[in-house]
Structure formats: C-alpha cells, structure tokens
C-alpha cells in the first residue's frame, strides 16, 4: 500500500508532486524494511526460547524417569566416544528402575525425544537384508547439540548439589611447592617457558580449587549447624569432629601462609616477565588476523594472568588497609565454633524445657502467693523488680551534706537550678568546636610500643621453644613476657591432659608451637622466679618445638 503524495512544492507544479511522491515511497520502503528486520529478530528470539524450553520437556514430563534412563545411556555413550545407538542397544544398556520395557515403548520414547530436539535420528540401512527391511522404519539415534548442552547442564547441577565443600590443607602445600618451583624456574639463566606455563596453570588450578571450596565450606557451615532436631549424642560427636577439623586447618593455614607470602614477595620482581612470556606463548594459538589482533590477544592473556596473580597475592598478603583473605577465612572459621556452641545451647534449652517470660511470671506469682504477710511480699517485690529507694542527685552544695538516701523528696531541701540549665539543658554556653588534634605522635608511640612488645614476645618464644626437653625447675627466672607465654602454653597442655600422671602432647591454637609435657615424680617440685613472685608446683619435663616452615 503506497502512501498518499504530499502537497506540491510552491512554484514547481507537477514536478513537486513527483518529488514528494518519490520521497514518500522511499521513506515507506525504509520503514517497512526496519519493521521486517525487527520482526524477524523477535521471531528468531522466540524460536530459540521455545526450542530451549522443548529441550527440558523430558525432565518434567509424565514419563520423566523413563526419558532420563534413555538420556543417561546416550550421555554414557558420548563419554565412551560412541556416536550413534540403535533402539535395541538402548534397551540393553539402560538401567530401568521398574523392569525392562518393550522395544516398542523405547522406540516411542526415542521418537519423542527426537521431536523435542534432544536426539537426532538417521535411517539405519546397515541391517537391511531384504526389500521389506528397506521400507521398514529403522533409525540410529545420537545426541543433538541441544541435547549435549542439556546433559552438561544437568550434570553440573547434580554435581553442585552433591558437592561437599572442604578446607583443603593439601592445597596449601601444593601452592607452596608450585611457588618454589616457579622461583627456581625464574632464576634460571635461560627460562623454560613451557615449564613456567605448566607450573602457573597448576598453581592457578590448585588455588582456584582452594578458594572455591573454602568459600563454599564457610557458606555452608551455618547450614550444617542446624542441630535443633538432632540427638544429643550426634550433636556431641559432630561438635568434636568440626572443632578438630577447623583447628587442624587453621593451624596448617597459619604455618603455610607465612611461607607462601614470603615466596610471593620473592617472586614479585620477576613475575611480570614470567606472565609476559606465558601470555606470548598462549597468543601463538590465537586465530589468524592482523598484527593488531595478535597484540590485542596477547594483551588479553596478559591481563587475565595478572588478575589471577593479584587474586593469589590478595589471599596471602594484605592490600592497603584490607587484611589478606586467608586471615578473613581464619576469622570466619573461628566464628563457626561459637555458632556451634550457640546451637548446642539452644538444644540443651529445648531439652530442659521451655523457659520464657510468661513462665517466669507464673513462678513469681506462686512465690507471691506463698508469702506469709505483706511485708514479705513487699521485700519480694523489691528484689524482683528492683524497686529500691531513689538516691538524691548531689550537686556538691552545702544542702546535700548529710542528706540520707531514704529522705523523701517532699522533706528534702529544694535545689537551686540555673535558668540556662532549665532553658537550654546545659549550664555553660556552647562554644566553637575544638580543633582536630594531630595524633601522629601518639600513633608513633603506640607503634613503637607494639614493635617492642612483639620483639619481647618473639625473644620469649625463642627462649622457650628450643625443641629440647627441659625440666620446669631448670627454666630459671622468666620476665613478664616469657612468663605470660609459658602460662599460656602450660594452660593449653594441661587442658588436654587425661590425668595428672599422663603425658600430654598437642599443638597450640595459633599453630606455631608444639608442646609435649610429661609429669615427673609426685614428690618433685619446681619453682620459677617471676617479676610478680614465685611460681611453684610439681615438676614436669616440657619440650616446646616451633612449627614454622622454612623456605
């Protein structure tokens, strides 16, 4: 349908009609083309959406279990590099839950799956031996592209639901070993780019697995501590296993983090060159193109490797004011223990009976009913609701001298209130805000104190952690820091001791020291001189060993 011509141009006659008619026709054709392209695009998107929905029809269909048995056979065949299957092969290889069906049912299900787009069918002419066999419908089936995508998606879905996240202590050791190998390769006279690339790939793979599993584990800890319906024995066993698991991981995390951080710092001067060589090696496999395309490809690979290295560095080294992710993971793991204890407290409260405010008031009402007289009831009310006499405010005047707290407000002398206090709520006028004080000196002083204290604590640790057995009576005099460290270690060891005559061996909570404590004879005695006095008790044989890994 052509649009009506526009009015003629002034002074041009019929030529104006022709010019306007051509312009209108051209505009109409352009609008029609745009409308057709837009409609075609919308139609294609709708077709893609409908086809995607059809691919998942077999999951929610009436015979979903039957269809899934067939699709499992085709997924297994793909893993075995088998391209096509016949209906009798599907019938023989499938695991049918309700008994083996008939071949006609399998053929009907295969045809339906092919109609939905999960399978592709092709005529089977390999077994034709007569003319009647040629005209009989026989098909070979294989997974379609959409069917492969659906099977991959369902496999990832099931794997994600069934995955049990874990805190991988082995991954920390693997990361340290890969970094050591990378440092050795970086120091070679002629670096082997292939080995550097392989080591970096292994390092990234192990680190990504560690990060994903740690994130999933800490996100699932809260769900794992749903113990309201569990039995007391199961709660106690789970509590012990979880605490031991977290302590073992946190100890290994503390030991390995320092080593990994030092290796990363040692690799910092050479890491850009190593990542550039790896990016250059990967860019060789890029699709053919111009020199600019190859440069862009290399820049993209280099950017990706730098992001991975930044993530690894941020896990074990602080960035600005942000603590490393390993410290955050350690704090999150420690916070899981109070959550577990809170769940156990809730379980014990439920086992002991419901306790709320209404029950407390009912018990208190029974106490009031059992009072012998009103004076006893008044005393109970004062004790229960804190109805004690209010004390007078003292303003430091002579009128407050000798005023008892039991004096009635009506009998007490009046107080003189300043009019400004009555009007504005403050006695003194409000002046300008004070200037912001520069506390650089205070911060420097605190930093100096912290450094000195850290040095003293480190000196105390070196004195006690000698890896040699020593009697408590042979320790001699201990200063404040050494004695504090000694008391902490002794408390952790004695807390795990099964009996006064049993030796004990354990690792400290921070994962830095290992303690072995063996009691000596009952009549033995040890004394330790400290700045605050003499510490005395039964003598023990103690061995303190540091657990920090070297480079």
């Amino acid at each position: 349908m052509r649009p009506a011509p526009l009015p003629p141009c002034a002074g041009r006659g019929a030529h104006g009609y022709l010019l306007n008619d051509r312009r209108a026709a051209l505009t109409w054709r352009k609008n029609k083309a745009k409308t057709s392209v837009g409609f075609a695009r919308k139609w294609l998107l709708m077709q893609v959406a409908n086809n995607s929905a059809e691919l998942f029809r077999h999951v929610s269909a009436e015979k979903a279990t039957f269809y899934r048995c067939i699709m499992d056979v085709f997924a297994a065949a793909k893993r075995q590099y088998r391209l096509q299957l016949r209906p009798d092969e599907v019938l023989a290889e499938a695991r049918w839950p309700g008994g083996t069906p008939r071949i006609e049912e399998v053929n009907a299900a295969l045809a339906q799956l092919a109609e939905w787009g999960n399978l592709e069918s092709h005529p089977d002419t390999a077994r034709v031996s007569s003319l009647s066999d040629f005209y009989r419908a026989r098909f070979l089936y294989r997974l379609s592209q959409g069917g492969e995508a659906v099977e991959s998606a369902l496999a990832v879905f099931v794997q994600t639901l069934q995955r049990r996240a874990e805190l991988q202590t082995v991954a920390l050791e693997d990361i340290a070993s890969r970094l050591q190998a990378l440092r050795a390769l970086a120091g070679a006279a002629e670096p082997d780019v292939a080995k550097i690339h392989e080591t970096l790939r292994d390092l990234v793979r192990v680190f990504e697995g560690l990060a994903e599993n740690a994130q999933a584990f800490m996100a699932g800890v809260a769900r794992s501590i749903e113990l309201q319906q569990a039995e007391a024995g199961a709660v106690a066993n789970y509590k012990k296993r979880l605490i031991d698991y977290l302590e073992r991981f946190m100890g290994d995390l503390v030991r390995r983090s320092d080593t990994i951080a030092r290796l990363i710092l040692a690799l910092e001067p050479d890491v850009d060159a190593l990542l550039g060589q790896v990016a250059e090696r990967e860019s060789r496999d890029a699709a053919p193109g111009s020199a600019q395309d190859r440069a862009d490809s290399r820049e993209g690979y280099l950017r990706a490797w730098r992001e991975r290295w930044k993530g690894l560095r941020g896990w074990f080294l602080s960035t600005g004011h942000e603590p490393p992710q390993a410290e955050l993971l350690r704090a999150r793991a420690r916070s899981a223990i109070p959550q577990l204890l809170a769940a156990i407290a809730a379980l014990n409260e439920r086992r002991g009976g419901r306790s709320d405010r209404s029950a407390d008031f009912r018990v208190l009402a029974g106490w009031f009913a059992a009072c012998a007289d009103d004076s006893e009831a008044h005393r109970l009310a004062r004790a229960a609701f804190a109805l004690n006499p209010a004390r007078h405010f003292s303003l430091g005047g002579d009128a407050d001298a000798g005023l008892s707290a039991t004096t009635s407000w009506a009998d007490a002398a009046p107080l003189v209130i300043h009019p400004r206090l009555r009007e504005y709520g403050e006695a003194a006028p409000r002046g300008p805000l004070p200037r912001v004080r520069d506390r650089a000196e205070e911060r420097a002083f605190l930093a100096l104190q912290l450094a000195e204290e850290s040095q003293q604590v480190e000196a105390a640790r070196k004195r006690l952690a000698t890896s040699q057995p020593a009697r408590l009576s042979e320790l001699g005099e201990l200063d404040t820091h050494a004695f504090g460290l000694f008391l902490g270690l002794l408390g952790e060891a004695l807390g795990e001791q099964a009996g006064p005559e049993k030796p004990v061996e354990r690792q400290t909570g921070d994962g830095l020291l290992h303690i072995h404590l063996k009691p000596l004879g009952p009549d033995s005695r040890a004394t330790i001189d400290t700045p605050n006095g003499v510490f005395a008790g039964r003598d023990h044989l103690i061995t303190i060993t540091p657990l920090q890994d070297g480079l």
Side-chain angles (χ1 to χ4, degrees):
M1 178 178 180
R2 298 182 61 185
L6 297 176
C9 299
R12 294 195 178 186
H15 180 70
Y17 280 105
L18 293 175
L19 183 61
N20 290 331
D21 192 25
R22 290 173 182 174
R23 289 177 179 174
L26 183 60
T27 303
W28 178 77
R29 290 172 182 173
K30 290 182 178 179
N31 292 335
K32 183 179 180 181
K34 292 181 180 179
T35 304
S36 301
V37 172
F39 177 77
R41 184 183 295 111
K42 292 182 180 179
W43 183 82
L44 288 175
L45 291 175
M46 292 176 60
Q47 292 299 318
V48 171
N50 293 334
N51 292 338
S52 300
E54 290 290 326
L55 290 172
F56 286 93
R57 284 279 299 275
H58 72 284
V59 179
S60 58
E62 182 180 357
K63 298 181 179 180
T65 305
F66 193 81
Y67 291 134
R68 286 307 308 159
C69 291
I70 295 176
M71 295 303 295
D72 290 340
V73 174
F74 281 94
K78 182 179 180 298
R79 292 191 297 269
Q80 300 168 8
Y81 306 103
R82 299 164 60 191
L83 299 180
Q84 302 177 109
L85 292 177
R86 293 184 172 86
D88 54 350
E89 294 175 340
V90 175
L91 179 64
E93 297 179 13
R95 297 180 180 179
W96 309 106
T100 304
R102 296 178 302 167
I103 189 65
E104 291 80 5
E105 297 177 358
V106 176
N107 283 322
L110 290 171
Q112 183 63 65
L113 289 170
E115 180 181 352
W116 284 334
N118 298 90
L119 299 176
E120 294 179 353
S121 60
H122 301 277
D124 184 11
T125 59
R127 296 183 177 180
V128 174
S129 58
S130 62
L131 185 61
S132 59
D133 291 338
F134 181 80
Y135 286 108
R136 187 179 303 164
R138 296 176 182 271
F139 294 98
L140 290 171
Y141 294 92
R142 68 180 179 184
L143 279 176
S144 65
Q145 184 177 5
E148 291 183 10
V150 170
E151 292 303 311
S152 300
L154 293 177
V156 173
F157 178 75
V158 173
Q159 181 181 3
T160 303
L161 289 180
Q162 295 178 351
R163 184 183 66 177
R164 295 189 61 185
E166 55 191 4
L167 299 174
Q168 298 173 322
T169 58
V170 179
L172 295 171
E173 182 179 356
D174 292 341
I175 290 174
S177 63
R178 299 300 189 280
L179 288 173
Q180 289 176 355
L182 193 63
R183 186 182 179 188
L185 291 172
E190 295 182 359
D192 191 342
V193 182
K195 290 185 178 180
I196 293 174
H197 194 185
E198 180 183 1
T199 306
L200 279 174
R201 279 201 304 259
D202 292 344
L203 176 63
V204 169
R205 178 180 54 81
V206 174
F207 171 69
E208 288 179 351
L210 170 66
E212 291 177 2
N213 280 279
Q215 182 180 5
F217 179 83
M218 299 319 301
V221 164
R223 295 191 295 268
S224 299
I225 304 178
E226 295 293 337
L227 303 174
Q228 283 72 14
Q229 304 299 328
E231 298 181 356
V235 172
N237 293 332
Y238 178 74
K239 177 192 71 172
K240 188 177 184 305
R241 291 197 305 269
L242 178 61
I243 292 178
D244 292 342
Y245 185 74
L246 292 176
E247 284 186 349
R248 183 173 66 253
F249 175 75
M250 286 187 293
D252 196 77
L253 180 63
V254 171
R255 293 195 307 271
R256 299 287 182 182
S257 296
D258 182 64
T259 300
I260 294 174
R262 282 183 284 157
L263 287 170
I264 292 175
L265 289 176
L267 281 168
E268 285 291 330
D270 304 322
V271 69
D272 285 338
L274 296 177
L275 297 182
Q277 294 171 0
V278 171
E280 179 66 28
R281 186 173 187 264
E282 287 184 341
S283 64
R284 297 173 188 169
D285 296 332
S290 62
Q292 183 63 35
D293 294 338
R294 182 173 181 180
D296 293 341
S297 176
R298 181 187 182 281
E299 186 64 26
Y301 285 123
L302 181 58
R303 190 184 308 112
W305 278 110
R306 284 175 176 172
E307 289 179 356
R308 297 180 186 125
W309 182 262
K310 182 180 178 182
L312 175 63
R313 192 183 189 282
W315 242 75
F316 299 98
L317 291 173
S318 59
T319 305
H321 299 287
E322 294 292 332
Q325 294 295 323
E327 291 295 331
L328 298 179
L329 176 62
R330 181 185 177 192
R332 183 67 182 86
R334 284 185 176 274
S335 66
I337 298 177
Q339 292 181 12
L340 177 63
L341 298 179
I344 294 175
L347 177 64
N348 292 333
E349 182 180 354
R350 191 183 72 246
R351 292 177 59 204
R354 179 179 175 85
S355 177
D356 54 10
R357 186 169 296 180
S358 61
D360 295 339
F361 281 143
R362 285 193 293 269
V363 174
L364 184 60
W367 291 352
F368 274 111
C371 290
D373 50 15
D374 291 343
S375 61
E376 186 175 350
H378 287 316
R379 289 195 299 271
L380 178 60
R382 285 195 296 271
F385 301 104
L387 297 178
N388 297 314
R391 294 184 176 274
H392 289 271
F393 292 103
S394 176
L395 299 181
D398 296 335
D400 297 336
L403 186 63
S404 174
T406 59
T407 304
S408 173
W409 289 96
D411 299 336
L415 295 177
V416 179
I417 304 298
H418 195 279
R420 185 177 181 84
L421 178 62
R422 183 189 301 274
E423 183 177 357
Y424 297 104
E426 56 183 2
R430 181 178 299 174
L433 295 176
R435 297 179 59 185
V436 178
R437 294 181 57 185
D438 184 10
R439 302 188 180 274
E441 296 183 0
E442 289 84 350
R443 287 196 293 267
F445 179 71
L446 290 177
L448 181 60
Q449 283 187 331
L450 289 175
E452 292 179 355
E453 184 177 353
S454 300
Q455 292 178 359
Q456 293 172 354
V457 171
E458 185 64 25
R461 183 179 288 112
K462 289 181 178 179
R463 178 183 175 183
L464 295 177
T466 60
S467 303
Q468 300 295 330
R471 300 168 66 101
L472 297 183
S473 56
E474 298 175 352
L475 294 179
E477 184 177 357
L478 299 178
D479 57 11
T480 303
H481 298 281
F483 183 65
L485 176 63
F486 168 75
L487 280 184
L489 299 177
L490 189 63
E492 290 191 28
L494 294 178
E496 296 290 334
Q497 193 175 20
E501 304 297 333
K502 300 290 185 179
V504 62
E505 184 175 0
R506 67 155 294 158
Q507 180 180 321
T508 58
D510 56 5
L512 297 178
L513 299 174
H514 181 273
I515 313 168
H516 182 272
L517 190 66
K518 180 180 180 181
L520 299 179
D523 54 346
S524 61
R525 186 171 180 81
T527 58
I528 300 175
D529 295 330
T530 68
N532 298 325
V534 177
F535 179 81
R538 182 177 177 178
D539 200 2
H540 289 70
L541 190 65
I542 187 170
T543 305
I544 304 175
T545 306
L547 295 179
Q548 292 183 351
D549 294 334
L551 285 175

Coordinates of all heavy atoms in Angstrom, one line a residue, residues 6-38:
L6 N 2.5 13.9 -1.1 CA 2.4 15.2 -0.3 C 2.0 16.3 -1.2 O 2.0 16.2 -2.4 CB 3.8 15.4 0.2 CG 4.4 14.4 1.2 CD1 5.8 14.8 1.6 CD2 3.5 14.3 2.4
P7 N 1.6 17.4 -0.7 CA 1.1 18.6 -1.5 C 2.3 19.1 -2.3 O 3.5 18.9 -2.0 CB 0.8 19.6 -0.4 CG 0.4 18.8 0.8 CD 1.3 17.7 0.7
P8 N 2.0 19.7 -3.5 CA 3.1 20.2 -4.4 C 3.9 21.3 -3.8 O 3.4 22.0 -2.9 CB 2.3 20.6 -5.6 CG 1.0 21.0 -5.1 CD 0.7 20.1 -4.0
C9 N 5.1 21.4 -4.2 CA 6.0 22.5 -3.7 C 5.6 23.8 -4.4 O 5.1 23.8 -5.6 CB 7.5 22.2 -4.1 SG 8.1 20.7 -3.3
A10 N 5.7 24.8 -3.7 CA 5.3 26.1 -4.2 C 6.1 26.5 -5.4 O 7.3 26.5 -5.4 CB 5.4 27.2 -3.1
G11 N 5.5 26.8 -6.5 CA 6.1 27.3 -7.7 C 6.7 26.2 -8.6 O 7.5 26.5 -9.5
R12 N 6.5 24.9 -8.3 CA 7.1 23.9 -9.1 C 6.1 23.0 -9.8 O 6.5 22.1 -10.6 CB 8.0 23.0 -8.2 CG 9.2 23.8 -7.6 CD 10.2 22.8 -7.1 NE 11.3 23.6 -6.5 CZ 12.5 23.0 -6.1 NH1 12.6 21.7 -6.1 NH2 13.4 23.7 -5.6
G13 N 4.9 23.1 -9.6 CA 3.9 22.4 -10.4 C 4.0 20.9 -10.2 O 4.1 20.3 -9.1
A14 N 3.8 20.2 -11.4 CA 3.8 18.7 -11.3 C 5.1 18.1 -10.8 O 5.1 17.0 -10.3 CB 3.5 18.2 -12.7
H15 N 6.2 18.8 -11.1 CA 7.5 18.3 -10.6 C 7.5 18.2 -9.1 O 8.1 17.2 -8.5 CB 8.6 19.2 -11.1 CG 10.0 18.7 -10.6 ND1 10.5 17.6 -11.2 CD2 10.8 19.2 -9.7 CE1 11.7 17.4 -10.6 NE2 11.9 18.4 -9.7
G16 N 6.8 19.1 -8.5 CA 6.7 19.0 -7.0 C 6.0 17.7 -6.5 O 6.4 17.1 -5.6
Y17 N 4.9 17.4 -7.3 CA 4.2 16.2 -7.0 C 5.1 14.9 -7.1 O 5.1 14.0 -6.2 CB 3.0 16.0 -7.9 CG 1.8 16.8 -7.4 CD1 1.4 18.0 -8.1 CD2 1.0 16.4 -6.3 CE1 0.3 18.7 -7.7 CE2 -0.1 17.1 -5.9 CZ -0.5 18.3 -6.6 OH -1.5 19.0 -6.2
L18 N 5.9 14.8 -8.2 CA 6.7 13.7 -8.4 C 7.8 13.6 -7.4 O 8.1 12.5 -6.8 CB 7.3 13.8 -9.8 CG 6.4 13.6 -11.0 CD1 7.1 13.8 -12.3 CD2 5.7 12.2 -10.9
L19 N 8.4 14.7 -7.0 CA 9.5 14.7 -6.0 C 9.0 14.3 -4.6 O 9.6 13.4 -4.0 CB 10.1 16.1 -5.9 CG 11.3 16.2 -4.9 CD1 12.4 15.3 -5.4 CD2 11.8 17.7 -4.9
N20 N 7.8 14.8 -4.2 CA 7.3 14.4 -2.9 C 6.8 12.9 -3.0 O 6.9 12.2 -2.0 CB 6.1 15.3 -2.6 CG 6.5 16.7 -2.3 OD1 7.6 16.9 -1.8 ND2 5.7 17.7 -2.6
D21 N 6.3 12.5 -4.1 CA 5.9 11.1 -4.2 C 7.1 10.1 -4.1 O 7.0 9.1 -3.4 CB 5.2 10.9 -5.5 CG 4.5 9.5 -5.6 OD1 4.1 9.0 -4.5 OD2 4.3 9.0 -6.7
R22 N 8.2 10.4 -4.7 CA 9.4 9.6 -4.6 C 9.9 9.6 -3.1 O 10.3 8.5 -2.6 CB 10.4 10.1 -5.5 CG 10.1 9.8 -7.0 CD 11.1 10.5 -7.9 NE 10.7 10.3 -9.3 CZ 11.4 10.9 -10.3 NH1 12.5 11.7 -10.0 NH2 11.0 10.7 -11.6
R23 N 9.9 10.7 -2.5 CA 10.4 10.7 -1.1 C 9.5 9.9 -0.2 O 10.0 9.2 0.7 CB 10.5 12.2 -0.6 CG 11.6 13.0 -1.3 CD 11.5 14.4 -0.8 NE 12.6 15.2 -1.4 CZ 12.7 16.5 -1.2 NH1 11.8 17.2 -0.5 NH2 13.8 17.2 -1.8
A24 N 8.2 10.1 -0.4 CA 7.3 9.3 0.5 C 7.5 7.8 0.2 O 7.4 7.0 1.2 CB 5.9 9.7 0.2
A25 N 7.6 7.4 -1.0 CA 7.8 6.0 -1.3 C 9.1 5.4 -0.7 O 9.1 4.3 -0.1 CB 7.8 5.8 -2.8
L26 N 10.2 6.3 -0.8 CA 11.5 5.8 -0.2 C 11.4 5.7 1.3 O 11.9 4.7 1.9 CB 12.6 6.8 -0.6 CG 14.0 6.5 -0.1 CD1 14.4 5.1 -0.7 CD2 15.0 7.6 -0.5
T27 N 10.7 6.6 1.9 CA 10.5 6.6 3.4 C 9.7 5.4 3.8 O 10.0 4.7 4.8 CB 9.9 7.9 3.9 OG1 10.7 9.0 3.5 CG2 9.7 7.8 5.4
W28 N 8.7 5.1 3.0 CA 7.8 3.9 3.3 C 8.6 2.6 3.2 O 8.4 1.7 4.0 CB 6.6 3.9 2.4 CG 5.7 2.8 2.6 CD1 4.8 2.6 3.5 CD2 5.6 1.6 1.7 NE1 4.1 1.4 3.4 CE2 4.6 0.8 2.3 CE3 6.3 1.2 0.5 CZ2 4.3 -0.4 1.7 CZ3 5.9 0.0 0.0 CH2 5.0 -0.8 0.5
R29 N 9.4 2.5 2.2 CA 10.2 1.3 2.0 C 11.2 1.1 3.1 O 11.4 0.0 3.6 CB 11.0 1.3 0.7 CG 10.0 1.2 -0.5 CD 10.8 1.4 -1.8 NE 9.9 1.4 -3.0 CZ 10.3 1.7 -4.2 NH1 11.5 2.1 -4.5 NH2 9.4 1.6 -5.2
K30 N 11.9 2.2 3.6 CA 12.8 2.1 4.7 C 12.1 1.7 6.0 O 12.6 0.8 6.7 CB 13.5 3.4 4.9 CG 14.5 3.8 3.8 CD 15.2 5.1 4.2 CE 16.2 5.5 3.1 NZ 16.9 6.8 3.4
N31 N 11.0 2.3 6.3 CA 10.2 1.9 7.5 C 9.8 0.4 7.4 O 9.8 -0.3 8.4 CB 9.0 2.8 7.7 CG 9.4 4.2 8.0 OD1 10.5 4.4 8.5 ND2 8.6 5.2 7.7
K32 N 9.4 0.0 6.2 CA 9.0 -1.4 6.1 C 10.1 -2.4 6.3 O 10.0 -3.4 6.9 CB 8.4 -1.6 4.7 CG 7.8 -3.0 4.4 CD 7.2 -3.1 3.1 CE 6.7 -4.6 2.9 NZ 6.1 -4.8 1.5
A33 N 11.3 -2.0 5.8 CA 12.5 -2.8 5.9 C 12.9 -2.9 7.4 O 13.2 -4.0 7.9 CB 13.7 -2.3 5.1
K34 N 12.8 -1.8 8.1 CA 13.2 -1.8 9.6 C 12.2 -2.6 10.3 O 12.5 -3.4 11.2 CB 13.2 -0.4 10.1 CG 14.3 0.5 9.6 CD 14.2 1.9 10.2 CE 15.4 2.8 9.7 NZ 15.3 4.1 10.2
T35 N 10.9 -2.5 10.0 CA 9.9 -3.3 10.7 C 10.1 -4.8 10.4 O 9.9 -5.6 11.3 CB 8.5 -2.9 10.2 OG1 8.3 -1.5 10.4 CG2 7.4 -3.6 11.0
S36 N 10.4 -5.1 9.2 CA 10.6 -6.6 8.8 C 11.8 -7.1 9.6 O 11.8 -8.2 10.1 CB 10.8 -6.7 7.3 OG 9.7 -6.2 6.6
V37 N 12.9 -6.4 9.7 CA 14.1 -6.8 10.4 C 13.8 -7.0 11.9 O 14.2 -8.0 12.5 CB 15.3 -5.9 10.2 CG1 16.5 -6.2 11.0 CG2 15.7 -5.9 8.7
G38 N 13.1 -6.0 12.4 CA 12.8 -6.1 13.9 C 11.9 -7.3 14.1 O 12.1 -8.0 15.1

